[in-house]
Amino acid sequence: HKEYRRQRQMCIREGIYAYLKEKRIQKAAELLRETNHEIGKIAGMVGYDNASKFSNSFKSIMGINPSEYKKSV
């Protein structure tokens, strides 16, 4: 029973993390579309302190890196 509970809690946490990550990237996409802020500034605005991690997360959700996205909109 302990192992089941531990695995269940991990799934819940991972689900929440994935949800929050997606919301942060959606907000970043909005900021990329609607502002002239630098990508590094937008990364910080949505809670990333590392621009490289932000770019990787953005690409994993959007299928394109933030600089390509900004050019395309």
Side-chain angles (χ1 to χ4, degrees), residues 25-41:
I25 296 304
Q26 287 173 355
K27 181 62 177 177
E30 176 187 324
L31 292 168
L32 287 166
R33 283 192 311 272
E34 298 177 3
T35 72
N36 290 321
H37 296 313
E38 296 291 323
I39 291 169
K41 179 173 178 69

Side-chain angles (χ1 to χ4, degrees), residues 2-44:
K2 282 184 182 181
E3 181 63 21
Y4 170 76
R5 272 186 272 161
R6 189 181 69 75
Q7 287 180 345
R8 184 169 169 254
Q9 287 174 341
M10 281 178 46
C11 287
I12 290 169
R13 274 195 300 266
E14 288 172 12
I16 290 169
Y17 174 77
Y19 172 80
L20 292 175
K21 178 181 171 182
E22 188 168 337
K23 289 295 180 189
R24 291 162 75 190
I25 296 304
Q26 287 173 355
K27 181 62 177 177
E30 176 187 324
L31 292 168
L32 287 166
R33 283 192 311 272
E34 298 177 3
T35 72
N36 290 321
H37 296 313
E38 296 291 323
I39 291 169
K41 179 173 178 69
I42 290 173

Side-chain angles (χ1 to χ4, degrees), residues 39-51:
I39 291 169
K41 179 173 178 69
I42 290 173
M45 291 170 74
V46 297
Y48 285 85
D49 56 3
N50 180 308

